[in-house]
Amino acid sequence: MRANEITGLVTEADIQKATNEINALPANKTNSLTWESKGPDNYGGRTRALLIDKDNSAHLYAGSVGGGIFKSINGGATWNHIGDPTHNQSIVSMTQTPSGDIYVGTGELFQGYGGGGATSSPQFMGKGVLKSTDRGNTWTELSTTLGWSTVPRIEADPTDPTGNTVYAATNTGFKKSTDGGLTWTGLFGGNIWDRYSVYLANGVVFTSGRVGVEKFIP
């Protein structure tokens, strides 16, 4: 993968050239952007998911792998926990439909697939997909997804105004729902490593994983 695209070889000269190009980059590689921590910073768990409400950019949703779901209505100045404590608290993915519904995937990708270890962070098993139809005030566990231990990526179809079409990468395969999560169809099987991410653009679905990048039109 690092070979010279013309010669197909990895040579010392190519390595030195690449090193020189990297060293020549400016010290500030962020184009003078400044970053400010916005929290929530008083709860345990890594933040794996972030969603900006489609109708109000000051309304933010954050998902922690150990602390559940948080919401800010002032651009991140303050946060409130809005998840149901009786539901799974390992939040790893979020999406919002054109109709405003929010879907949340639970369970870290590496749970049961070689993650963890003496020097790594613990991985938390999930329990399917959560759904809210009222901007996070209440949540429902989708019963047809409760057997999914990891949902590293979930995406709503932006071309479906009803908000019923949703795609999910899960440990049981790549899934699609056309009825708001009541039922799911397996588009692809295989291991979670095969397809653990999904992106939608202009009516086209892209998946990525061990099988590389795939493109299909539903």
Side-chain angles (χ1 to χ4, degrees), residues 30-98:
T30 59
N31 297 321
S32 300
L33 294 176
T34 56
W35 295 88
E36 178 184 355
S37 178
K38 303 300 293 185
D41 55 7
N42 58 337
Y43 297 92
R46 301 170 296 283
T47 302
R48 289 233 188 266
L50 178 66
L51 176 68
I52 302 174
D53 191 280
K54 72 182 191 66
D55 296 320
N56 190 333
S57 61
H59 289 191
L60 312 176
Y61 302 84
S64 160
V65 299
I69 309 168
F70 296 83
K71 181 178 181 179
S72 172
I73 59 173
N74 50 22
T78 59
W79 295 83
N80 290 309
H81 185 273
I82 62 170
D84 186 332
T86 66
H87 293 160
N88 189 278
Q89 299 296 295
S90 179
I91 310 302
V92 297
S93 57
M94 291 181 172
T95 190
Q96 187 175 37
T97 70

Side-chain angles (χ1 to χ4, degrees), residues 141-170:
E141 287 182 327
L142 298 182
S143 60
T144 53
T145 71
L146 295 182
W148 301 353
S149 63
T150 178
V151 188
R153 189 77 176 187
I154 188 165
E155 287 290 336
D157 188 341
T159 66
D160 180 1
T162 68
N164 287 329
T165 304
V166 183
Y167 296 85
T170 84

Side-chain angles (χ1 to χ4, degrees), residues 115 182 196:
L182 295 178
Y196 55 76

